[in-house]
Amino acid sequence: MFGGGRLETGIGKTMNAAFYALPGFTDASDLTPPSEYFEEDIIDPDFSLSKGSYASLEGVGLGVRIKRCS
């Protein structure tokens, strides 16, 4: 099965990555970093890929924090 999306913030991308890691997703999934279309994301640490792969973060929930507005 394939998964994909486009205009999600880092929160959506992080949730998608966790979802796509479940059994049944056997094809490569589309996870474009939000930095491709948003000037600044709303999570810390930023969602990023390394050599086409995403390493799931450790921690409570998705492993990311919402940045405070300044």
Side-chain angles (χ1 to χ4, degrees):
M1 182 182 305
F2 169 82
R6 273 286 179 221
L7 297 176
E8 299 92 356
T9 63
I11 295 170
K13 293 294 185 177
T14 304
M15 289 188 323
N16 285 349
F19 186 64
Y20 301 155
L22 294 173
F25 284 91
T26 55
D27 297 325
S29 298
D30 181 6
L31 285 173
T32 306
S35 61
E36 293 290 319
Y37 39 86
F38 292 124
E39 187 173 321
E40 183 177 358
D41 201 357
I42 63 171
I43 63 167
D44 184 38
D46 291 331
F47 182 91
S48 63
L49 301 173
S50 176
K51 297 182 181 180
S53 295
Y54 175 74
S56 296
L57 302 171
E58 295 182 15
V60 176
L62 295 172
V64 297
R65 295 178 308 279
I66 304 293
K67 292 180 184 176
R68 292 189 177 258
C69 296
S70 50

